[in-house]
Amino acid sequence: MPRRLADVAAFAGVSVATVSRVLHDKPGIAQATRDSVLTALDVFGYERPQKLRNDRAPLVGLVLPELQNPIFPAMAELVVTELIRRNLLPVLCTRTADGLPEAHYVEMLLAQDVGGIVFIGSSYADAGAAQVKVLRARKLPIVLINAADENLDVPRVCVDDGVAVRQALGHLRALGHERIGLILGPVGHVPSARKLAAYVEEHGGRGWRALVAHTIFSMEGGATAAARLVGEGATALVCASDALALGAIRAARKLGLKVPADVSVVGFDDSSLMSLTDPPLTTVRQPIAAMGGAAVAALMSQINGHVVPVDEVLFDPELIVRGSTGMCPTG
């Protein structure tokens, strides 16, 4: 037990003696300190004393579309850390191989009487009409991060997709590229639509259709789209995710082309390990730490009863230049 107390104390940022006083329900302990210790017990899976078992930290649902794309677990980790720091317990919900829809998870979360829900890259509309009606009736605190669809009546935290595309295009044009392809997610996916709008605007509204491909967010989808765009004469490709970019590099090599000597590739997200790929991936980095912090702050304001604007907070991305982009071979 002493080792357990030390673990709890270290996590909560208090002394072992303070943990012991909380466990024995001694007076003179600040509520914030008490909450931190009890949350630490929950995190480590230790049983609370019987008289403290009804004093649990509020649960917060964390809904993600998948865990295969490394940006989603990275974002989830940051949000989870922020929630725990505020004595909230996250419940992770993500689509699995059996294809459980988000509506199923929302229904489960509502049954558990959660204190709020954070949707990351998910479709709030996919929660289902009945669940959305319940969410609104309960006035449950909700925040969306990079939502897959438009939700004008919910607080949103997003990366600026238009800025991301303009950064990538500016970099490639400076290298002499003119025929630049764009690989996006499925039609109707809002972040992809916003990237497309910026791309079309940069093209002056003309001659862009043959250089744009919509596909699923996967390496296989990126490879298929890249093969078609290279066939259309693209010397550079801007991709809506790092996974799509890695697929594009694979397709280029399969065609006997070198990256970046023959084709330049830009990703999006700057997921973990992108600096270790061959070649290291030039990509547009999402400021996920700042975005996660802003989302949790908006959620906490709602939980504490404050009125939160339903505006969309946009964060500027950052172009990270590595080895997958180079001078246009025909320049």
Side-chain angles (χ1 to χ4, degrees), residues 15-190:
S15 68
V16 172
T18 298
V19 173
S20 179
R21 293 182 65 192
V22 171
L23 294 178
H24 291 89
D25 202 22
K26 298 293 185 180
I29 303 294
Q31 187 60 47
T33 301
R34 187 181 300 274
D35 290 342
S36 295
V37 171
L38 296 178
T39 297
L41 287 173
D42 294 336
V43 169
F44 283 104
Y46 300 150
E47 284 291 331
R48 297 186 179 199
Q50 184 67 42
K51 56 188 173 183
L52 299 177
R53 289 183 186 176
N54 291 328
D55 189 23
R56 293 196 176 274
L59 300 176
V60 172
L62 194 57
V63 181
L64 291 77
E66 57 161 316
L67 292 176
Q68 297 300 313
N69 186 337
I71 194 64
F72 291 130
M75 181 76 79
E77 181 180 11
L78 289 166
V79 172
V80 163
T81 300
E82 291 294 326
L83 290 173
I84 291 175
R85 284 177 180 169
R86 291 165 170 77
N87 302 312
L88 300 170
L89 289 179
V91 179
L92 182 63
C93 302
T94 183
R95 289 187 179 181
T96 55
D98 56 7
L100 286 176
E102 290 170 12
H104 174 81
Y105 289 118
V106 171
E107 185 175 353
M108 292 176 60
L109 292 171
L110 289 172
Q112 294 297 319
D113 198 25
V114 293
I117 302 177
V118 178
F119 291 86
I120 300 179
S122 301
S123 174
Y124 173 61
D126 282 352
Q131 284 80 10
V132 169
K133 185 176 181 180
V134 173
L135 291 174
R136 289 174 174 169
R138 292 189 183 182
K139 297 183 178 179
L140 190 70
I142 294 172
V143 178
L144 311 182
I145 302 178
N146 287 343
D149 50 20
E150 294 287 5
N151 300 273
L152 301 180
D153 59 346
V154 181
R156 290 148 289 148
V157 173
C158 304
V159 68
D160 194 322
D161 294 289
V163 169
V165 166
R166 286 188 283 272
Q167 287 178 348
L169 291 177
H171 170 61
L172 293 170
R173 285 171 177 162
L175 294 171
H177 295 276
E178 295 181 359
R179 290 191 64 78
I180 304 171
L182 181 65
I183 302 178
L184 300 168
V187 174
H189 179 252
V190 166

Side-chain angles (χ1 to χ4, degrees), residues 215-226 243-244 246-248 250-251:
T215 186
I216 59 174
F217 280 108
S218 69
M219 290 182 62
E220 293 77 13
T224 301
L244 290 174
L246 295 180
R250 176 188 292 178

